[in-house]
Amino acid sequence: MTFDEVLLLKVGETILKGQNRRSFEEQLLKNLRRALSPLGDWKITIAQSAVQALPCGEGADMDAAFARARRVFGFAGATRAARVPKEMPAILAGCAAYLRQELTFAHTFKCEAKRSDKTFPFRSPQLCEQAGESLLQEFPHLKVDVRQPDVTVYIEVREQHAFLHADQARGAGGLPVGSAGDAAVLISGGIDSPVAAWMMARRGLRLMAVHFASPPYTSERAEEKVHRLLSKVANYAGRIRLFVVPFTEYQEQIRERCPEELATLLMRRGMMRIAQTLALRENCGALITGESLGQVASQTMQALACTDSVTTLPVFRPLIGTDKDETVALARKIGTFELSILPYEDCCTVFTPRHPRTKPKPAALEAAEAKLELEPLMARALEHTVLHAIDGENR
Ligand code: ATP
Ligand code: MG
């Protein structure tokens, strides 16, 4: 019995989008094609809210392909499946052949059938019955258990082919990256901002990233850490352009000319201004940060209002209402946690005031900023900004 093995991916929320459905699907297929391209050529098609990816040629690494497909936003479920002709003998033989290993080691099983092609001459219960009987003959040690089977054999009769598979895994969820437009994430080496980036990519945003470095206070290794963090995010979000902005001069001027207790907020406002300039140049529609209400002095409601007031773009803070342990759980899931806790200095930590203001007044910040040469500071920072392209791992 020979059959083609495919990835069978179930489209998630995208199907809800009515008129925009076509362009969502096109973006989804493009992203999947890009994710699978390092593993050879694939024939990728979509029908009835399911995407099939068939490797062209022999020897495709299906394990790797499956892992990659599971990181493409926009799919609710994912499985490897055997694709067979829509004929009962092929379906029955296919189930036994494709799931031989699982069925050999199982004690109990059940069959589930779905017939989206209503012209197929057998109804779902008949399909299940026949497949069940044939499997019991082929694997006499098995028993049927419809409640808690060790293996469920799924038979899906679709437009062109029938698909046979065991349990499907969850997909990455969310919406296809790019379907919601572009946004710029302010990325530090901490735990929060990579998670925030990942969350917004999951909602369909294509990311660019802005990182502020303060050499010689911050090291090359600290920047390297940011590259590695973004590479983890790029596993899901695709290639990310990273702008590294030199921030030392701006920070030193704050330290020399402004009240110490306002230093962090003045710095945060500087970051927002510069990030917004870059974001607008690159056609981004929003900024993203990893801030969470009350986590540190610069993340009180009053402090956030003072950072927001220097930007016109909306600022997305997906972690605003999450607890740290929830963020840590997500960081572990996407693989950034272990990197984030490496102890390299961040530009925020080297200039931290001893008693930061938690309820700042906008007027006090503006008065302090009047002592800074804002325009030339920003212009020089932007002039020396360096652009990197960050790809996912194993690209
Ligand atoms: P994180 O874990 O993301 O660093 P945090 O809780 O440590 O967050 P802060 O260090 O106060 O909080 O930073 C708040 C947000 O400001 C970060 O989530 C990030 O979006 C942005 N940010 C902080 N430092 C930098 C930096 N060096 N470059 C770019 N963005 C930064
Ligand atoms: Mg930080």
Side-chain angles (χ1 to χ4, degrees):
M1 171 76 201
T2 59
F3 48 77
D4 289 323
E5 191 179 27
V6 299
L7 301 177
L8 187 63
L9 308 164
K10 305 296 170 65
V11 178
E13 250 181 274
T14 312
I15 56 173
L16 301 175
K17 301 292 171 184
Q19 297 248 322
N20 295 328
R21 177 170 163 175
R22 270 293 286 278
S23 66
F24 273 72
E25 287 183 352
E26 271 162 27
Q27 186 73 58
L28 183 63
L29 296 188
K30 194 168 146 195
N31 295 349
L32 178 65
R33 205 166 283 126
R34 196 166 288 168
L36 295 182
S37 66
L39 302 172
D41 287 336
W42 297 77
K43 185 162 178 282
I44 296 176
T45 51
I46 184 165
Q48 297 168 319
S49 299
V51 171
Q52 275 179 61
L54 172 73
C56 306
E58 297 287 294
D61 184 343
M62 292 300 277
D63 283 335
F66 182 58
R68 279 166 180 267
R70 287 194 64 200
R71 296 201 204 109
V72 174
F73 291 127
F75 292 112
T79 182
R80 292 164 63 164
R83 195 176 83 171
V84 299
K86 280 164 53 169
E87 293 152 9
M88 199 54 114
I91 292 175
L92 299 182
C95 287
Y98 184 58
L99 299 174
R100 177 162 300 279
Q101 200 168 352
E102 285 91 334
L103 291 168
T104 301
F105 290 102
H107 297 288
T108 58
F109 80 109
K110 74 168 173 181
C111 295
E112 282 202 11
K114 205 169 83 184
R115 186 181 60 138
S116 42
D117 170 11
K118 300 296 177 201
T119 65
F120 187 68
F122 298 91
R123 289 163 166 271
S124 300
Q126 288 173 300
L127 255 174
C128 282
E129 207 173 297
Q130 294 210 21
E133 269 171 29
S134 131
L135 290 173
L136 283 171
Q137 269 179 16
E138 182 82 22
F139 303 92
H141 72 282
L142 283 178
K143 291 208 165 34
V144 174
D145 178 349
V146 291
R147 293 229 176 84
Q148 278 198 312
D150 296 336
V151 175
T152 303
V153 176
Y154 292 86
I155 304 166
E156 300 186 33
V157 180
R158 293 177 166 271
E159 231 167 40
Q160 309 276 344
H161 301 93
F163 296 88
L164 316 169
H165 60 87
D167 285 330
Q168 72 170 12
R170 290 168 74 103
L175 303 171
V177 167
S179 65
D182 290 70
V185 59
L186 284 84
I187 187 99
S188 69
I191 295 170
D192 300 332
S193 43
V195 173
W198 179 87
M199 287 176 80
M200 296 320 299
R202 191 175 58 173
R203 294 312 298 166
L205 288 173
R206 187 181 8 249
L207 302 176
M208 68 166 236
V210 184
H211 174 68
F212 294 87
S214 302
Y217 305 101
T218 61
S219 63
E220 258 171 50
R221 298 216 307 185
E223 188 187 320
E224 169 70 21
K225 175 180 168 183
V226 171
H227 289 222
R228 289 170 68 195
L229 281 169
L230 277 178
S231 184
K232 296 278 184 192
V233 178
N235 284 336
Y236 295 84
R239 173 175 287 189
I240 299 172
R241 281 162 308 145
L242 166 65
F243 294 81
V244 177
V245 183
F247 204 47
T248 315
E249 193 191 4
Y250 200 116
Q251 287 186 292
E252 285 180 341
Q253 212 174 89
I254 291 173
R255 189 175 57 187
E256 283 153 22
R257 303 187 186 182
C258 303
E260 185 190 305
E261 66 273 15
L262 297 180
T264 304
L265 270 175
L266 291 168
M267 193 174 80
R268 305 272 318 125
R269 280 160 66 100
M271 286 185 183
M272 296 302 256
R273 285 193 183 94
I274 293 170
Q276 168 161 281
T277 306
L278 288 166
L280 288 172
R281 268 189 209 166
E282 303 294 320
N283 288 321
C284 290
L287 301 174
I288 301 166
T289 76
E291 289 159 312
S292 170
L293 191 65
Q295 197 183 78
V296 289
S298 60
Q299 296 176 24
T300 63
M301 184 167 61
Q302 294 82 354
L304 293 175
C306 290
T307 27
D308 272 358
S309 63
V310 301
T311 64
T312 52
L313 284 175
V315 181
F316 293 159
R317 298 185 171 93
L319 300 178
I320 196 72
T322 58
D323 283 357
K324 196 75 184 187
D325 55 353
E326 294 163 336
T327 307
V328 165
L330 269 176
R332 285 188 193 281
K333 173 178 150 159
I334 62 177
T336 54
F337 182 73
E338 299 299 329
L339 287 170
S340 286
I341 57 176
L342 294 174
Y344 301 133
E345 64 299 321
D346 183 74
C347 71
C348 295
T349 44
V350 279
F351 290 88
T352 307
R354 282 158 294 181
H355 303 290
R357 228 352 94 74
T358 55
K359 290 187 185 165
K361 297 265 184 321
L365 290 163
E366 279 154 28
E369 273 170 357
K371 306 226 168 64
L372 300 175
E373 294 156 40
L374 277 188
E375 291 302 324
L377 280 175
M378 282 181 60
R380 278 195 293 274
L382 286 164
E383 189 192 334
H384 293 104
T385 291
V386 177
L387 172 61
H388 305 266
I390 309 289
D391 282 311
E393 297 159 306
N394 316 318
R395 191 148 194 74

